[in-house]
Amino acid sequence: MQTLKDRIRKEGLVLPGDILKVDSFLNHQIDPKLSIEMGKELAQAFSDEKIDRVLTIEASGIAVGLATALALNVNLVFAKKKKTLVMNEDAYTADVFSYTKKEHNTISVLKKFLPPNENVLIVDDFLATGSAALGLAELVNKAGSHVAGVGVAIEKAFQPGHKNLEKAGYRVKALASIASLKNNQITFTDEAE
Amino acid sequence: MQTLKDRIRKEGLVLPGDILKVDSFLNHQIDPKLSIEMGKELAQAFSDEKIDRVLTIEASGIAVGLATALALNVNLVFAKKKKTLVMNEDAYTADVFSYTKKEHNTISVLKKFLPPNENVLIVDDFLATGSAALGLAELVNKAGSHVAGVGVAIEKAFQPGHKNLEKAGYRVKALASIASLKNNQITFTDEAE
């Protein structure tokens, strides 16, 4: 998605540890028009499937998740994060490790908002190791529903997330795919040799 | 806003301690079309002001905040919550007490995303004691900007939030205003005697 790649190139900050900061338009300050465009693109990418629901994770997945759910005309559900495991028989839970924050979280969704026999599209702002998306997929599987695929705004293709998700059998769509952040240079996969 | 009031009456659950659960469409599962409608209504309510930015708080303010920012054609910024005070010279911080969760949080926004001399509309899903909105207003004031007003989806008018905000000089608009949750009955202010 060219608009997104242009924004990343213009405003993205590369930090030590292969961190890409895009908090001026994606996950702290948010450009609503760009969010809506991204949602339309992700909906389009999965338009050959009948999607029943979009599942994302708080907080930074909510904007692009909402826009995708709007474009698909379905409900959005966002998983909640807790640092400690909360046992709750009314909720599906999974363990997720955040690469950026170096911390474990238990993510959860109330069972009533993840019914069985649905086709659920997982959406997030970032894909790096794939831990968040795999955790969300675990919730969908526990619910007895099917993962239609995983759609993200930005993926770091040099990290194993994309491959891990495909290995697990999930289709992956990233609107911008980054091949490398070496030497503080942002290189997209379609520009890499 | 009639659509919202109808949804609250149909799906809202009253819990002990004057808690109103509307997590089937507002803050866990989200109805994107309703979010967009609410955003338009809030934008409309402040259409006599030139708004430069919408400020909300993670996680459940993001959907209605995004929709309001979209309708106003401005950026959204969401404040982040931490349970412990994080000193960060690049961020404005304020202390907020959550009525529902009975916990203190330090909320913060990076200074670069809250420039001075702006007219900032504060948006949130709920208004009860007003602590979150007052904390957000404190961030705006620290930034040297002006609070255009506070727009919320639902207010519990029998709690002091609305009055506290008006006392502090802020204009308040709630799309649905609840007069009472007594005896598990949801009564809106325009229906109360």
Side-chain angles (χ1 to χ4, degrees):
Chain A
M1 184 182 171
Q2 197 55 47
T3 335
L4 177 59
K5 285 162 65 184
D6 292 346
R7 277 304 269 284
I8 295 168
R9 199 174 304 282
K10 199 176 153 206
E11 298 177 31
L13 290 173
V14 183
L15 301 185
D18 281 332
I19 305 285
L20 174 66
K21 276 274 185 196
V22 282
D23 55 3
S24 65
F25 60 90
L26 193 66
N27 42 30
H28 187 15
Q29 181 169 256
I30 292 175
D31 177 340
K33 280 191 176 169
L34 180 63
S35 300
I36 293 294
E37 275 182 69
M38 291 191 297
K40 282 182 187 162
E41 287 276 332
L42 287 177
Q44 181 57 37
F46 291 90
S47 59
D48 55 332
E49 298 241 15
K50 158 108 183 50
I51 310 287
D52 297 304
R53 178 179 302 266
V54 172
L55 175 65
T56 188
I57 183 167
E58 67 177 1
S60 46
I62 295 176
V64 61
L66 182 81
T68 308
L70 181 73
L72 289 167
N73 197 23
V74 298
N75 278 332
L76 169 72
V77 177
F78 67 85
K80 303 192 173 192
K81 280 179 206 168
K82 290 268 171 209
K83 282 206 190 65
T84 49
L85 183 69
V86 185
M87 291 302 284
N88 181 345
E89 58 179 22
D90 299 327
Y92 299 113
T93 60
D95 184 65
V96 161
F97 179 74
S98 164
Y99 177 82
T100 318
K101 295 185 182 168
K102 310 280 183 235
E103 68 183 21
H104 282 271
N105 284 294
T106 300
I107 64 169
S108 65
V109 171
L110 286 183
K111 290 183 181 178
K112 61 180 171 180
F113 300 134
L114 218 45
N117 305 315
E118 284 195 342
N119 199 27
V120 180
L121 179 62
I122 291 168
V123 169
D124 206 356
D125 59 336
F126 254 98
L127 173 61
T129 63
S131 179
L134 285 167
L136 292 169
E138 190 182 328
L139 301 179
V140 175
N141 292 330
K142 281 179 175 171
S145 277
H146 178 255
V147 176
V150 178
V152 298
I154 304 174
E155 70 167 1
K156 296 195 272 190
F158 57 90
Q159 289 188 346
H162 194 126
K163 273 179 199 154
N164 288 345
L165 287 168
E166 285 189 339
K167 234 180 274 174
Y170 307 127
R171 189 173 151 194
V172 179
K173 169 70 183 181
L175 299 179
S177 177
I178 290 165
S180 162
L181 295 172
K182 271 181 199 153
N183 306 320
N184 286 346
Q185 283 290 110
I186 300 167
T187 311
F188 294 101
T189 47
D190 45 9
E191 302 162 336
E193 296 171 73
Chain B
M1 185 183 172
Q2 197 55 47
T3 335
L4 177 60
K5 284 163 65 184
D6 292 345
R7 275 306 267 283
I8 294 168
R9 195 166 316 272
K10 198 175 153 207
E11 299 179 30
L13 290 174
V14 183
L15 301 185
D18 281 333
I19 305 287
L20 174 67
K21 276 275 184 192
V22 282
D23 55 3
S24 65
F25 60 89
L26 193 66
N27 43 28
H28 186 14
Q29 181 170 258
I30 292 174
D31 177 339
K33 279 190 177 170
L34 180 64
S35 300
I36 293 293
E37 274 182 71
M38 292 191 297
K40 282 182 188 163
E41 288 276 331
L42 287 177
Q44 181 58 36
F46 292 90
S47 59
D48 55 332
E49 297 242 15
K50 157 107 183 54
I51 310 287
D52 297 304
R53 179 178 303 266
V54 172
L55 175 64
T56 188
I57 184 166
E58 66 177 2
S60 46
I62 295 176
V64 62
L66 182 82
T68 309
L70 181 72
L72 289 166
N73 197 22
V74 298
N75 278 332
L76 169 72
V77 178
F78 67 87
K80 303 191 173 192
K81 281 180 205 166
K82 290 268 172 212
K83 281 207 190 64
T84 49
L85 184 69
V86 185
M87 292 303 283
N88 180 345
E89 59 180 20
D90 299 326
Y92 299 113
T93 60
D95 184 63
V96 161
F97 179 74
S98 164
Y99 177 82
T100 318
K101 296 185 182 167
K102 309 280 181 235
E103 68 183 21
H104 282 272
N105 283 295
T106 299
I107 64 168
S108 66
V109 171
L110 286 182
K111 290 183 179 177
K112 61 181 170 180
F113 300 134
L114 217 44
N117 305 313
E118 284 195 342
N119 200 27
V120 180
L121 179 62
I122 291 168
V123 169
D124 206 356
D125 59 335
F126 255 98
L127 173 60
T129 64
S131 179
L134 285 166
L136 292 169
E138 190 182 328
L139 300 179
V140 174
N141 293 330
K142 282 180 174 170
S145 276
H146 178 254
V147 176
V150 177
V152 298
I154 303 173
E155 69 167 1
K156 294 195 273 190
F158 56 90
Q159 290 189 344
H162 194 126
K163 273 178 199 157
N164 287 345
L165 287 168
E166 285 189 341
K167 234 180 274 172
Y170 307 126
R171 188 174 151 193
V172 179
K173 169 70 183 179
L175 299 179
S177 179
I178 291 166
S180 161
L181 294 172
K182 271 180 199 154
N183 306 321
N184 286 346
Q185 283 290 110
I186 301 167
T187 310
F188 295 103
T189 47
D190 45 9
E191 301 162 336
E193 295 171 74

PDB file of all heavy atoms in Angstrom, chain B residues 156-177:
ATOM      1  N   LYS B 156     -22.907   8.885  33.264  1.00  0.00           N
ATOM      2  CA  LYS B 156     -23.764   8.565  34.396  1.00  0.00           C
ATOM      3  C   LYS B 156     -24.003   9.885  35.124  1.00  0.00           C
ATOM      4  O   LYS B 156     -23.164  10.342  35.901  1.00  0.00           O
ATOM      5  CB  LYS B 156     -23.090   7.532  35.283  1.00  0.00           C
ATOM      6  CG  LYS B 156     -22.941   6.184  34.552  1.00  0.00           C
ATOM      7  CD  LYS B 156     -22.611   5.038  35.491  1.00  0.00           C
ATOM      8  CE  LYS B 156     -21.126   4.936  35.689  1.00  0.00           C
ATOM      9  NZ  LYS B 156     -20.725   3.697  36.395  1.00  0.00           N
ATOM     10  N   ALA B 157     -25.140  10.512  34.821  1.00  0.00           N
ATOM     11  CA  ALA B 157     -25.405  11.873  35.288  1.00  0.00           C
ATOM     12  C   ALA B 157     -25.595  11.944  36.793  1.00  0.00           C
ATOM     13  O   ALA B 157     -25.540  13.027  37.381  1.00  0.00           O
ATOM     14  CB  ALA B 157     -26.624  12.447  34.566  1.00  0.00           C
ATOM     15  N   PHE B 158     -25.814  10.783  37.429  1.00  0.00           N
ATOM     16  CA  PHE B 158     -25.980  10.763  38.894  1.00  0.00           C
ATOM     17  C   PHE B 158     -24.632  10.706  39.605  1.00  0.00           C
ATOM     18  O   PHE B 158     -24.568  10.720  40.827  1.00  0.00           O
ATOM     19  CB  PHE B 158     -26.858   9.574  39.309  1.00  0.00           C
ATOM     20  CG  PHE B 158     -26.340   8.242  38.840  1.00  0.00           C
ATOM     21  CD1 PHE B 158     -25.474   7.501  39.637  1.00  0.00           C
ATOM     22  CD2 PHE B 158     -26.707   7.736  37.592  1.00  0.00           C
ATOM     23  CE1 PHE B 158     -24.988   6.280  39.212  1.00  0.00           C
ATOM     24  CE2 PHE B 158     -26.223   6.507  37.158  1.00  0.00           C
ATOM     25  CZ  PHE B 158     -25.358   5.780  37.964  1.00  0.00           C
ATOM     26  N   GLN B 159     -23.541  10.644  38.839  1.00  0.00           N
ATOM     27  CA  GLN B 159     -22.199  10.739  39.418  1.00  0.00           C
ATOM     28  C   GLN B 159     -21.636  12.114  39.074  1.00  0.00           C
ATOM     29  O   GLN B 159     -22.145  12.798  38.191  1.00  0.00           O
ATOM     30  CB  GLN B 159     -21.334   9.574  38.905  1.00  0.00           C
ATOM     31  CG  GLN B 159     -21.809   8.247  39.511  1.00  0.00           C
ATOM     32  CD  GLN B 159     -20.890   7.081  39.221  1.00  0.00           C
ATOM     33  OE1 GLN B 159     -20.046   7.140  38.346  1.00  0.00           O
ATOM     34  NE2 GLN B 159     -21.075   5.996  39.955  1.00  0.00           N
ATOM     35  N   PRO B 160     -20.585  12.561  39.788  1.00  0.00           N
ATOM     36  CA  PRO B 160     -20.248  13.995  39.720  1.00  0.00           C
ATOM     37  C   PRO B 160     -19.428  14.455  38.504  1.00  0.00           C
ATOM     38  O   PRO B 160     -19.068  15.626  38.436  1.00  0.00           O
ATOM     39  CB  PRO B 160     -19.448  14.203  41.017  1.00  0.00           C
ATOM     40  CG  PRO B 160     -18.856  12.878  41.324  1.00  0.00           C
ATOM     41  CD  PRO B 160     -19.815  11.850  40.819  1.00  0.00           C
ATOM     42  N   GLY B 161     -19.146  13.538  37.550  1.00  0.00           N
ATOM     43  CA  GLY B 161     -18.257  13.882  36.439  1.00  0.00           C
ATOM     44  C   GLY B 161     -18.661  15.123  35.655  1.00  0.00           C
ATOM     45  O   GLY B 161     -17.876  16.058  35.477  1.00  0.00           O
ATOM     46  N   HIS B 162     -19.900  15.138  35.188  1.00  0.00           N
ATOM     47  CA  HIS B 162     -20.400  16.248  34.376  1.00  0.00           C
ATOM     48  C   HIS B 162     -20.241  17.578  35.120  1.00  0.00           C
ATOM     49  O   HIS B 162     -19.695  18.542  34.574  1.00  0.00           O
ATOM     50  CB  HIS B 162     -21.871  15.990  34.017  1.00  0.00           C
ATOM     51  CG  HIS B 162     -22.396  16.864  32.937  1.00  0.00           C
ATOM     52  ND1 HIS B 162     -23.001  16.371  31.788  1.00  0.00           N
ATOM     53  CD2 HIS B 162     -22.408  18.216  32.802  1.00  0.00           C
ATOM     54  CE1 HIS B 162     -23.365  17.394  31.019  1.00  0.00           C
ATOM     55  NE2 HIS B 162     -23.022  18.515  31.615  1.00  0.00           N
ATOM     56  N   LYS B 163     -20.704  17.582  36.382  1.00  0.00           N
ATOM     57  CA  LYS B 163     -20.629  18.818  37.190  1.00  0.00           C
ATOM     58  C   LYS B 163     -19.183  19.239  37.438  1.00  0.00           C
ATOM     59  O   LYS B 163     -18.848  20.419  37.366  1.00  0.00           O
ATOM     60  CB  LYS B 163     -21.353  18.632  38.529  1.00  0.00           C
ATOM     61  CG  LYS B 163     -22.832  18.963  38.402  1.00  0.00           C
ATOM     62  CD  LYS B 163     -23.573  18.729  39.723  1.00  0.00           C
ATOM     63  CE  LYS B 163     -25.076  18.603  39.429  1.00  0.00           C
ATOM     64  NZ  LYS B 163     -25.779  17.873  40.479  1.00  0.00           N
ATOM     65  N   ASN B 164     -18.334  18.249  37.762  1.00  0.00           N
ATOM     66  CA  ASN B 164     -16.920  18.564  38.018  1.00  0.00           C
ATOM     67  C   ASN B 164     -16.256  19.185  36.793  1.00  0.00           C
ATOM     68  O   ASN B 164     -15.465  20.125  36.912  1.00  0.00           O
ATOM     69  CB  ASN B 164     -16.148  17.302  38.416  1.00  0.00           C
ATOM     70  CG  ASN B 164     -16.498  16.838  39.820  1.00  0.00           C
ATOM     71  OD1 ASN B 164     -17.093  17.589  40.594  1.00  0.00           O
ATOM     72  ND2 ASN B 164     -16.144  15.599  40.141  1.00  0.00           N
ATOM     73  N   LEU B 165     -16.589  18.667  35.631  1.00  0.00           N
ATOM     74  CA  LEU B 165     -15.990  19.204  34.407  1.00  0.00           C
ATOM     75  C   LEU B 165     -16.500  20.612  34.127  1.00  0.00           C
ATOM     76  O   LEU B 165     -15.741  21.502  33.751  1.00  0.00           O
ATOM     77  CB  LEU B 165     -16.289  18.277  33.219  1.00  0.00           C
ATOM     78  CG  LEU B 165     -15.497  16.960  33.225  1.00  0.00           C
ATOM     79  CD1 LEU B 165     -16.063  15.972  32.199  1.00  0.00           C
ATOM     80  CD2 LEU B 165     -14.020  17.220  32.930  1.00  0.00           C
ATOM     81  N   GLU B 166     -17.815  20.818  34.314  1.00  0.00           N
ATOM     82  CA  GLU B 166     -18.375  22.153  34.087  1.00  0.00           C
ATOM     83  C   GLU B 166     -17.805  23.152  35.093  1.00  0.00           C
ATOM     84  O   GLU B 166     -17.529  24.304  34.737  1.00  0.00           O
ATOM     85  CB  GLU B 166     -19.904  22.101  34.146  1.00  0.00           C
ATOM     86  CG  GLU B 166     -20.476  21.473  32.869  1.00  0.00           C
ATOM     87  CD  GLU B 166     -21.988  21.575  32.769  1.00  0.00           C
ATOM     88  OE1 GLU B 166     -22.650  21.791  33.812  1.00  0.00           O
ATOM     89  OE2 GLU B 166     -22.501  21.421  31.648  1.00  0.00           O
ATOM     90  N   LYS B 167     -17.635  22.690  36.348  1.00  0.00           N
ATOM     91  CA  LYS B 167     -17.042  23.546  37.370  1.00  0.00           C
ATOM     92  C   LYS B 167     -15.636  23.982  36.964  1.00  0.00           C
ATOM     93  O   LYS B 167     -15.200  25.099  37.244  1.00  0.00           O
ATOM     94  CB  LYS B 167     -16.982  22.800  38.716  1.00  0.00           C
ATOM     95  CG  LYS B 167     -17.627  23.554  39.865  1.00  0.00           C
ATOM     96  CD  LYS B 167     -17.534  22.747  41.165  1.00  0.00           C
ATOM     97  CE  LYS B 167     -18.691  21.764  41.308  1.00  0.00           C
ATOM     98  NZ  LYS B 167     -18.541  20.844  42.459  1.00  0.00           N
ATOM     99  N   ALA B 168     -14.925  23.072  36.307  1.00  0.00           N
ATOM    100  CA  ALA B 168     -13.569  23.374  35.845  1.00  0.00           C
ATOM    101  C   ALA B 168     -13.586  24.227  34.576  1.00  0.00           C
ATOM    102  O   ALA B 168     -12.526  24.603  34.061  1.00  0.00           O
ATOM    103  CB  ALA B 168     -12.794  22.085  35.614  1.00  0.00           C
ATOM    104  N   GLY B 169     -14.778  24.525  34.085  1.00  0.00           N
ATOM    105  CA  GLY B 169     -14.899  25.426  32.939  1.00  0.00           C
ATOM    106  C   GLY B 169     -15.005  24.742  31.590  1.00  0.00           C
ATOM    107  O   GLY B 169     -14.889  25.389  30.541  1.00  0.00           O
ATOM    108  N   TYR B 170     -15.248  23.438  31.592  1.00  0.00           N
ATOM    109  CA  TYR B 170     -15.299  22.701  30.326  1.00  0.00           C
ATOM    110  C   TYR B 170     -16.739  22.413  29.914  1.00  0.00           C
ATOM    111  O   TYR B 170     -17.570  22.025  30.730  1.00  0.00           O
ATOM    112  CB  TYR B 170     -14.517  21.392  30.419  1.00  0.00           C
ATOM    113  CG  TYR B 170     -13.103  21.574  30.913  1.00  0.00           C
ATOM    114  CD1 TYR B 170     -12.607  20.855  31.999  1.00  0.00           C
ATOM    115  CD2 TYR B 170     -12.254  22.504  30.294  1.00  0.00           C
ATOM    116  CE1 TYR B 170     -11.305  21.049  32.444  1.00  0.00           C
ATOM    117  CE2 TYR B 170     -10.960  22.698  30.743  1.00  0.00           C
ATOM    118  CZ  TYR B 170     -10.487  21.969  31.824  1.00  0.00           C
ATOM    119  OH  TYR B 170      -9.216  22.161  32.272  1.00  0.00           O
ATOM    120  N   ARG B 171     -16.979  22.578  28.637  1.00  0.00           N
ATOM    121  CA  ARG B 171     -18.266  22.241  28.051  1.00  0.00           C
ATOM    122  C   ARG B 171     -18.335  20.721  27.907  1.00  0.00           C
ATOM    123  O   ARG B 171     -17.358  20.090  27.506  1.00  0.00           O
ATOM    124  CB  ARG B 171     -18.268  22.906  26.677  1.00  0.00           C
ATOM    125  CG  ARG B 171     -19.529  22.876  25.935  1.00  0.00           C
ATOM    126  CD  ARG B 171     -19.276  23.727  24.685  1.00  0.00           C
ATOM    127  NE  ARG B 171     -20.087  23.271  23.599  1.00  0.00           N
ATOM    128  CZ  ARG B 171     -19.901  23.640  22.352  1.00  0.00           C
ATOM    129  NH1 ARG B 171     -18.892  24.454  22.029  1.00  0.00           N
ATOM    130  NH2 ARG B 171     -20.699  23.202  21.406  1.00  0.00           N
ATOM    131  N   VAL B 172     -19.493  20.141  28.214  1.00  0.00           N
ATOM    132  CA  VAL B 172     -19.630  18.683  28.181  1.00  0.00           C
ATOM    133  C   VAL B 172     -20.790  18.275  27.280  1.00  0.00           C
ATOM    134  O   VAL B 172     -21.875  18.848  27.359  1.00  0.00           O
ATOM    135  CB  VAL B 172     -19.895  18.123  29.604  1.00  0.00           C
ATOM    136  CG1 VAL B 172     -20.060  16.597  29.566  1.00  0.00           C
ATOM    137  CG2 VAL B 172     -18.763  18.505  30.550  1.00  0.00           C
ATOM    138  N   LYS B 173     -20.552  17.295  26.432  1.00  0.00           N
ATOM    139  CA  LYS B 173     -21.642  16.734  25.625  1.00  0.00           C
ATOM    140  C   LYS B 173     -21.626  15.214  25.774  1.00  0.00           C
ATOM    141  O   LYS B 173     -20.598  14.557  25.533  1.00  0.00           O
ATOM    142  CB  LYS B 173     -21.429  17.109  24.153  1.00  0.00           C
ATOM    143  CG  LYS B 173     -22.323  16.375  23.174  1.00  0.00           C
ATOM    144  CD  LYS B 173     -23.780  16.819  23.270  1.00  0.00           C
ATOM    145  CE  LYS B 173     -24.682  16.014  22.332  1.00  0.00           C
ATOM    146  NZ  LYS B 173     -26.094  16.439  22.444  1.00  0.00           N
ATOM    147  N   ALA B 174     -22.766  14.667  26.218  1.00  0.00           N
ATOM    148  CA  ALA B 174     -22.911  13.218  26.301  1.00  0.00           C
ATOM    149  C   ALA B 174     -23.994  12.787  25.309  1.00  0.00           C
ATOM    150  O   ALA B 174     -25.049  13.413  25.235  1.00  0.00           O
ATOM    151  CB  ALA B 174     -23.303  12.803  27.709  1.00  0.00           C
ATOM    152  N   LEU B 175     -23.714  11.729  24.550  1.00  0.00           N
ATOM    153  CA  LEU B 175     -24.693  11.264  23.560  1.00  0.00           C
ATOM    154  C   LEU B 175     -25.847  10.522  24.216  1.00  0.00           C
ATOM    155  O   LEU B 175     -26.942  10.457  23.672  1.00  0.00           O
ATOM    156  CB  LEU B 175     -24.011  10.374  22.521  1.00  0.00           C
ATOM    157  CG  LEU B 175     -22.902  11.064  21.716  1.00  0.00           C
ATOM    158  CD1 LEU B 175     -22.279  10.085  20.731  1.00  0.00           C
ATOM    159  CD2 LEU B 175     -23.445  12.292  20.975  1.00  0.00           C
ATOM    160  N   ALA B 176     -25.568   9.956  25.383  1.00  0.00           N
ATOM    161  CA  ALA B 176     -26.631   9.330  26.176  1.00  0.00           C
ATOM    162  C   ALA B 176     -26.336   9.643  27.632  1.00  0.00           C
ATOM    163  O   ALA B 176     -25.219   9.443  28.096  1.00  0.00           O
ATOM    164  CB  ALA B 176     -26.678   7.827  25.956  1.00  0.00           C
ATOM    165  N   SER B 177     -27.331  10.156  28.332  1.00  0.00           N
ATOM    166  CA  SER B 177     -27.141  10.613  29.710  1.00  0.00           C
ATOM    167  C   SER B 177     -28.060   9.806  30.631  1.00  0.00           C
ATOM    168  O   SER B 177     -29.277   9.834  30.486  1.00  0.00           O
ATOM    169  CB  SER B 177     -27.467  12.102  29.781  1.00  0.00           C
ATOM    170  OG  SER B 177     -27.327  12.565  31.106  1.00  0.00           O
TER     171      SER B 177
END
